[in-house]
Amino acid sequence: MKPTHFNLSALAQASCRAMRAPTTAITSTLIAAAFISAPALAALTGGIKGTVIAEQTEQSMAGVTVTARSSVMPKARTVVTGADGSFDLPQLKPGTYELTFTNKDGASQTMTVQVLLEQTSKVDVELSLTGDKTEVITITGSRLYRQGNSSLTNSLGEKAIEGVPIGQDYRDLLKLVPGVELSENSVLGPSAGGSGVDNSYGFDGVNVSLPMFGNLASEPSTHDVAYVTMDRGGAKAVDFNRSGGFAINTVSKSGTDEFTGSVEYKVQPKSLVASPVGQESYETDKSWITANLGGPLIEDTLYFYTSYYRPEEKRSNKDTAYGDVKNYKSERDEFFGKLTWAPRDDLLFNISQRISDKTEEGASIGEYETDSVSVGGETDQDIFTLDGSWLIDSNTTLSFQYSTFDLQSSSRPDTELNFQPSLSGTLDVDNLDQMGYFNVPELRGPSDNYTPEQIAAYNAGAAALIEQFGYTENGMKMGGGGVGAYLQYDDQDFYRDSFELELDHEFSWGDTYHTLHFGGQWSEGKEVLTRFSNGWGRINYVGGLDLSQQAGNDTPVIYRALVQQMSLVGSGDLAPAITSETKTLNFEINDTIEYGDWTYNIGVLVSRDTYYGQGLRPKSGTISGYELAPGHKYKMYETDWSDMIQPRLGVKWNYADEDDVFANFAIYNPETSSLARAASWDRNNRSAIDVEFDADGNVIYAEPRASSSGKLFQEGMKPRRINEITLGTTKYVGEDLVLRAHVRHRKGLHFWEDMPNNARLTNYDGIDAPGVPADIAAQGLYIENLQDIRNEIGGSSYVIAEVDGGETKYWEASLEAEYMGDNTYVNASYVWSHYYGNFDQDNTTANNDANTFVGSSWYGDGIGRYPWDYRYGTLSGDKPHKLKVYGYYTTPWEANIGAYFVFQSGRPWEKWDGNLYGSSSSHTSRYAEPAGSRRSASHWQLDLNYSQDFTVYGDYALQFRADIFNLFDRQTGYNNDPYFVNSTFGEPRDYYSPRRVQLSLKFAF
């Protein structure tokens, strides 16, 4: 209901009441728990707005009671229309609602409305003034008309998600985002007008992207997803959207007022998968078991929902040169529980816990390795969320969310040696395959670096080792293989705690209607990294070709081991686990102003990011302001509030009923950065130790091996920023079809990277390349006194600097159509785009589909990698043409037919060749022609599914389903080899997945 005027006193009083705990004990407990610590992304609700007018006079009807009921809401919500006939039902769980309109005479009418995630469904109705109690009303609005947080938002419900062939993992949902490429990446996100690390992924509102890396976390699934919303741009200052790409959020299924449940078994046997390119056949069997149960615990008050999910993969590994090897196996158990509680009709709470445990064994066995060197893995993922809303009065709502995200991952040797190396111990040279991972040597030929006597002595020892540990080929023992056990344990754990609080207030002021939003969010992300050796780690035969690195010691080194310092007894101070943290504060205020046919949006999001490294302690009187303190947490860098002001401005004109034209301007400061670890001083600890042994296995000497050093920050850097302008129009054709067209431009600025301090002074004499632009060279060093600081506390000659002239540009023109009939849904989109510039975050390493550092990559690492070294051009995420069509049709014989079609341009690439810059040792990321000069082949594919329901008895039903992905087996190649020195230059290194069929049987009640 719209109030008649704006009352600051009333808003202040409502805010004060919001801070008081409700009277019930359980509610108090939930609210208190919410304020202890930390949500991440957006609200998990939707809403209904509308206007009631008289059927006969078409005048607004005040005092009409509007009641919303749904099986997903424990209690009904009721409001009364205002003087202008308007009503507002916020904070509704997504689902199907029955609206009952009752006038003052007691006559009532009903209708059904669908509420989607983060969307407000608009319902304008004509109500009869007579006393007749009829169930027939006229809907004056479209069933597709929804008001979201953005002009470029799409929302789908459970029926659409299940009706389209998408797959089992959260990552499969990304294929539904209009205008976003279909990506085969397993780690890096798809490009959407920005870097793949700048997308936002919400799972029940919890941010499940990896802290500091920005990629989607390990394997969240989709079996519990009931609703999904996809936001590509034009954002308001609502829900703390800082995404430089797209933002996607989901809400899980909930219990209802009826007991329901299901059990499903799905299988993808290897016999129903086409042979991948370059392989004789596909060898992995996959299966999935899903079960769920939900219903009421306390009628009309407390609902529950719980589920179990178990995916399995099994593969018969091929024999290696050493013989039989164990098979690969992956198993995962995931449990989910959720409570939905409405102690009063103005209070609603959700609390949920998701626990996932995954184990792997039999991975990473090379063609010339023994079975014993295989590696396994363990991944534990926990997601907790608590959210709630309080309708303080008819105009004011307070909502909160607290969440925790824990992802603990480790790789573990399948063969554990169960002993700890010590500098006072020895290497058992007669049983090297029980000491660690031993690289079996090969015989050496003549060399200018060694005498014939040295080569002969080396080969004599190598021949004995080959005879003992080599593999057999054509009746002869061969060297060059690997025996023993996998060399180390890797533990990489991620944590995120987050809390947000939001207050929304609506009021009229003169001829305008305002929706005010206030929000605050605190978030902390953390990574803890440890590495331990398995036995002596990696062992190499040196054979006396090297002498001890110890000063004054000329003893020949026969064996050398690389051991993680955390495992080594007697090596001095142990290297601590590297703990890296990022803390983020966001505050937002937004006002949506309605004035006649015009709607204006005015908002701003302000942020501050703080990075915490490890290894230094503040100290006055020093040049750097620090002293060395291994293991000590220190504030590495903090952005200024004034540098992260992100305005959100928009205007929309409804020129005819629901049809509109709109314009938006927004600035985003993406939060993903790996600098808390990449620049951390404890990376100076040199945690890997080279240990030298003589012929009898006695320790000669041990010396730390240097790793990447800590880095200082250039002063006055501006945070990475995306400027966005959007122009568009929306046209509703009846109540079933909506058309939308828009153009959008994004520009990225102020990129940060690690660069040599003297990068601007690089000498290009004798090199056939443009060299440093004069205006950049004139700026000199990034940090003038860096050498003085290094003399005091050490550190790298590289610094974190703002990339000189770094920028990206993105243009997009889009046409979209969405049709929603009684039994049919279709979403079709075509997008032309161009993504170009000189900073490509998605193309900085040899393998870009990985969790690579953001802010400390190979970009800028020396000559050939600077922004002026042929970097300006088409970026790797550019897909000029993208066509997507997907949907489903429900037949009269209780079957569902779904389809997904995509066509997209190929991936840009360019030639890499270090020889152009006089660097023949490393060709990685050294461009020898403008970025994106070449492009891989375009790709299209069609996915289909068919499901048939059979009623067994009463509410008991069986469902058979078949999904076919890539029906025509279009295994298009991409990720072309850019290394000009390789014989495979230009050939695809990856291919789209082959045709595969999944079959499932489901029992539901």
Side-chain angles (χ1 to χ4, degrees):
M1 170 179 169
K2 296 182 181 178
T4 57
H5 63 283
F6 176 42
N7 189 325
L8 281 172
S9 176
L11 176 58
Q13 293 173 10
S15 301
C16 290
R17 292 199 303 273
M19 297 301 107
R20 303 191 195 111
T23 56
T24 65
I26 301 179
T27 303
S28 300
T29 302
L30 287 172
I31 294 293
F35 281 89
I36 291 173
S37 232
L41 282 167
L44 302 178
T45 59
I48 303 173
K49 282 186 177 181
T51 304
V52 180
I53 62 175
E55 185 179 44
Q56 290 84 354
T57 64
E58 296 190 356
Q59 294 180 343
S60 300
M61 293 185 66
V64 175
T65 300
V66 185
T67 303
R69 293 183 177 85
S70 175
S71 63
V72 299
M73 287 283 287
K75 282 184 167 56
R77 289 276 174 86
T78 300
V79 296
V80 178
T81 59
D84 59 356
S86 65
F87 67 93
D88 186 6
L89 289 159
Q91 298 296 324
L92 299 177
K93 290 179 66 63
T96 301
Y97 284 78
E98 181 186 82
L99 290 186
T100 301
F101 300 85
T102 305
N103 64 22
K104 296 177 181 178
D105 297 328
S108 64
Q109 299 173 340
T110 64
M111 66 176 297
T112 300
V113 178
Q114 181 79 8
V115 174
L116 295 180
L117 177 61
E118 296 178 33
Q119 299 287 292
T120 299
S121 297
K122 185 176 179 182
V123 179
D124 294 332
V125 300
E126 294 183 357
L127 190 63
S128 173
L129 286 173
T130 67
D132 298 335
K133 294 188 177 183
T134 174
E135 296 296 317
V136 179
I137 64 173
T138 302
I139 305 174
T140 61
S142 167
R143 75 173 80 189
L144 280 167
Y145 187 78
R146 300 182 291 271
Q147 299 173 334
N149 292 333
S150 163
S151 60
L152 301 181
T153 299
N154 296 82
S155 293
L156 297 176
E158 182 177 351
K159 189 174 182 179
I161 296 171
E162 294 185 351
V164 177
I166 58 171
Q168 288 69 239
D169 292 333
Y170 184 109
R171 187 174 296 274
D172 295 321
L173 291 173
L174 307 185
K175 66 192 287 187
L176 300 180
V177 185
V180 175
E181 64 173 317
L182 172 67
S183 173
E184 290 278 301
N185 287 341
S186 60
V187 178
L188 180 65
S191 174
S195 169
V197 301
D198 286 330
N199 302 323
S200 296
Y201 307 102
F203 197 82
D204 256 349
V206 179
N207 187 348
V208 292
S209 59
L210 283 181
M212 299 173 222
F213 291 96
N215 291 312
L216 182 59
S218 175
E219 299 182 314
S221 55
T222 61
H223 65 283
D224 287 327
V225 173
Y227 294 90
V228 60
T229 183
M230 301 160 284
D231 194 348
R232 288 171 289 147
K236 296 181 179 180
V238 177
D239 299 329
F240 315 102
N241 188 348
R242 294 172 54 182
S243 170
F246 64 86
I248 183 170
N249 192 20
T250 66
V251 66
S252 62
K253 299 174 184 177
S254 301
T256 67
D257 54 14
E258 296 181 358
F259 284 101
T260 58
S262 68
V263 178
E264 181 180 26
Y265 179 70
K266 181 174 291 187
V267 63
Q268 180 184 292
K270 59 187 178 184
S271 59
L272 294 182
V273 179
S275 298
V277 171
Q279 299 181 29
E280 295 180 0
S281 62
Y282 184 81
E283 296 297 336
T284 303
D285 288 308
K286 297 183 179 182
S287 65
W288 301 264
I289 297 175
T290 307
N292 63 71
L293 178 66
L297 290 176
I298 303 175
E299 186 177 358
D300 297 332
T301 302
L302 182 63
Y303 296 163
F304 80 95
Y305 176 84
T306 184
S307 70
Y308 171 71
Y309 178 59
R310 182 180 174 86
E312 293 186 9
E313 293 185 22
K314 297 180 180 179
R315 180 181 67 242
S316 298
N317 285 331
K318 295 182 178 180
D319 294 347
T320 71
Y322 282 93
D324 295 340
V325 295
K326 66 176 65 66
N327 294 328
Y328 170 77
K329 181 171 66 174
S330 171
E331 297 176 343
R332 177 167 151 223
D333 293 297
E334 181 177 303
F335 302 90
F336 176 65
K338 181 178 183 180
L339 295 175
T340 301
W341 182 45
R344 303 197 311 239
D345 59 5
D346 59 349
L347 292 172
L348 180 65
F349 300 95
N350 294 287
I351 184 170
S352 68
Q353 177 77 51
R354 186 176 301 275
I355 300 173
S356 175
D357 299 321
K358 177 182 176 180
T359 60
E360 288 183 289
E361 65 177 44
S364 299
I365 306 176
E367 184 179 356
Y368 298 99
E369 293 180 321
T370 59
D371 171 66
S372 59
V373 305
S374 68
V375 62
E378 296 179 3
T379 304
D380 298 331
Q381 181 174 265
D382 295 341
I383 300 174
F384 171 81
T385 181
L386 169 64
D387 66 83
S389 62
W390 180 16
L391 304 183
I392 300 172
D393 56 36
S394 59
N395 312 314
T396 311
T397 303
L398 176 73
S399 59
F400 75 91
Q401 190 189 47
Y402 162 71
S403 69
T404 64
F405 166 78
D406 296 350
L407 178 66
Q408 301 178 31
S409 61
S410 65
S411 62
R412 305 257 176 205
D414 288 332
T415 302
E416 297 185 87
L417 299 178
N418 296 319
F419 73 88
Q420 190 169 15
S422 170
L423 293 182
S424 61
T426 59
L427 177 72
D428 186 352
V429 297
D430 294 325
N431 297 285
L432 290 172
D433 58 343
Q434 300 175 34
M435 294 291 98
Y437 182 97
F438 179 57
N439 290 296
V440 183
E442 295 181 274
L443 298 180
R444 284 177 173 266
S447 171
D448 293 336
N449 298 320
Y450 305 105
T451 66
E453 291 77 15
Q454 287 177 308
I455 295 295
Y458 174 91
N459 284 340
L465 293 171
I466 293 172
E467 184 63 29
Q468 184 178 5
F469 300 114
Y471 62 88
T472 301
E473 184 177 281
N474 298 324
M476 296 181 59
K477 287 286 188 176
M478 307 293 292
V483 299
Y486 187 72
L487 57 98
Q488 67 188 26
Y489 300 80
D490 283 292
D491 293 319
Q492 190 173 21
D493 302 334
F494 295 93
Y495 307 92
R496 180 185 284 110
D497 293 342
S498 179
F499 176 72
E500 66 187 36
L501 190 67
E502 301 181 32
L503 183 68
D504 295 275
H505 182 69
E506 301 184 13
F507 62 93
S508 294
W509 193 354
D511 294 332
T512 63
Y513 183 71
H514 297 254
T515 302
L516 266 178
H517 168 84
F518 304 89
Q521 182 192 58
W522 169 86
S523 179
E524 179 182 76
K526 180 186 296 185
E527 181 204 34
V528 180
L529 178 66
T530 57
R531 288 195 173 101
F532 300 90
S533 290
N534 188 22
W536 283 103
R538 183 182 294 276
I539 306 168
N540 288 298
Y541 172 70
V542 181
L545 297 182
D546 289 349
L547 300 180
S548 176
Q549 300 177 55
Q550 185 180 25
N553 189 343
D554 294 332
T555 303
V557 177
I558 306 303
Y559 300 98
R560 180 177 289 124
L562 180 64
V563 190
Q564 294 297 322
Q565 186 172 342
M566 294 180 184
S567 302
L568 195 58
V569 176
S571 62
D573 294 333
L574 295 181
I578 296 180
T579 301
S580 313
E581 297 182 32
T582 301
K583 291 184 180 179
T584 298
L585 287 173
N586 296 306
F587 295 98
E588 61 189 12
I589 180 171
N590 198 89
D591 187 12
T592 302
I593 307 167
E594 300 175 35
Y595 178 71
D597 295 330
W598 294 82
T599 302
Y600 303 92
N601 181 76
I602 302 174
V604 63
L605 169 66
V606 292
S607 307
R608 188 181 73 186
D609 297 335
T610 307
Y611 308 136
Y612 293 92
Q614 185 175 280
L616 294 177
R617 181 185 294 115
K619 184 179 180 179
S620 60
T622 60
I623 300 174
S624 63
Y626 293 101
E627 65 177 350
L628 295 176
H632 189 275
K633 174 181 174 181
Y634 71 98
K635 182 186 290 188
M636 176 187 293
Y637 194 85
E638 185 172 81
T639 60
D640 293 331
W641 292 104
S642 59
D643 289 334
M644 301 187 77
I645 298 174
Q646 302 156 74
R648 308 291 165 84
L649 305 173
V651 60
K652 182 179 69 171
W653 174 42
N654 285 99
Y655 62 87
D657 296 326
E658 295 149 356
D659 303 334
D660 62 56
V661 292
F662 58 86
N664 283 289
F665 171 75
I667 290 178
Y668 309 86
N669 289 124
E671 61 186 289
T672 300
S673 173
S674 303
L675 294 178
R677 174 153 78 93
S680 182
W681 226 258
D682 261 352
R683 298 190 76 207
N684 289 321
N685 280 336
R686 304 181 176 188
S687 56
I689 306 292
D690 277 326
V691 184
E692 303 169 345
F693 301 92
D694 62 18
D696 297 323
N698 299 310
V699 175
I700 303 172
Y701 180 60
E703 181 180 66
R705 175 178 290 189
S707 63
S708 182
S709 301
K711 301 178 181 71
L712 295 175
F713 287 68
Q714 176 191 14
E715 292 186 2
M717 293 190 300
K718 299 293 184 182
R720 185 160 44 114
R721 188 177 79 195
I722 305 293
N723 297 337
E724 177 188 73
I725 298 176
T726 306
L727 302 173
T729 181
T730 307
K731 174 69 176 178
Y732 289 83
V733 183
E735 65 176 34
D736 297 330
L737 177 63
V738 59
L739 306 176
R740 181 165 63 186
H742 75 264
V743 293
R744 183 162 63 118
H745 174 61
R746 276 184 164 179
K747 184 174 182 178
L749 302 163
H750 308 303
F751 296 94
W752 295 1
E753 258 296 330
D754 64 334
M755 311 272 282
N757 193 43
N758 60 354
R760 295 163 171 165
L761 306 177
T762 302
N763 186 354
Y764 279 74
D765 290 345
I767 296 174
D768 187 17
V772 187
D775 60 325
I776 294 177
Q779 299 178 55
L781 301 175
Y782 293 110
I783 300 177
E784 290 291 339
N785 65 336
L786 178 65
Q787 191 55 53
D788 293 335
I789 296 174
R790 295 182 68 203
N791 292 338
E792 181 179 84
I793 59 173
S796 176
S797 60
Y798 281 55
V799 299
I800 306 302
E802 187 174 327
V803 175
D804 294 302
E807 66 175 17
T808 63
K809 296 179 181 179
Y810 178 74
W811 287 97
E812 174 183 271
S814 172
L815 295 173
E816 299 177 42
E818 188 177 16
Y819 174 81
M820 183 181 291
D822 292 332
N823 300 307
T824 306
Y825 175 80
V826 178
N827 186 301
S829 63
Y830 168 76
V831 173
W832 172 89
S833 63
H834 187 203
Y835 183 40
Y836 59 105
N838 64 357
F839 189 91
D840 196 347
Q841 180 66 59
D842 298 337
N843 192 29
T844 58
T845 68
N847 175 23
N848 295 293
D849 187 19
N851 288 316
T852 56
F853 280 154
V854 180
S856 183
S857 68
W858 278 335
Y859 184 98
D861 283 6
I863 192 169
R865 295 168 174 167
Y866 293 131
W868 46 82
D869 289 331
Y870 290 117
R871 290 283 164 170
Y872 199 91
T874 302
L875 304 183
S876 61
D878 180 66
K879 296 283 191 300
H881 303 285
K882 295 184 287 286
L883 173 65
K884 283 187 183 180
V885 182
Y886 61 83
Y888 66 86
Y889 170 65
T890 303
T891 70
W893 58 88
E894 297 187 49
N896 181 89
I897 302 172
Y900 175 90
F901 174 82
V902 63
F903 170 87
Q904 61 190 29
S905 301
R907 176 179 173 178
W909 64 284
E910 62 290 314
K911 180 172 67 174
W912 294 2
D913 188 3
N915 288 313
L916 178 65
Y917 303 94
S919 175
S920 59
S921 61
S922 177
H923 301 272
T924 301
S925 199
R926 286 192 162 96
Y927 290 10
E929 62 187 7
S933 295
R934 308 161 191 253
R935 189 181 295 274
S936 64
S938 59
H939 173 73
W940 65 266
Q941 73 177 59
L942 175 65
D943 304 340
L944 297 174
N945 77 321
Y946 180 88
S947 61
Q948 178 67 60
D949 294 333
F950 301 93
T951 300
V952 179
Y953 175 77
D955 293 331
Y956 298 95
L958 283 176
Q959 182 189 81
F960 169 79
R961 176 171 176 146
D963 293 84
I964 305 177
F965 300 96
N966 199 356
L967 175 65
F968 295 101
D969 198 24
R970 302 281 301 179
Q971 297 186 51
T972 310
Y974 64 99
N975 190 22
N976 300 65
D977 183 358
Y979 293 95
F980 187 65
V981 297
N982 288 353
S983 61
T984 56
F985 171 72
E987 296 180 9
R989 294 179 292 182
D990 293 295
Y991 297 86
Y992 283 85
S993 298
R995 178 179 58 245
R996 55 207 181 276
V997 178
Q998 295 177 2
L999 304 174
S1000 68
L1001 184 64
K1002 180 178 181 180
F1003 171 74
F1005 64 91

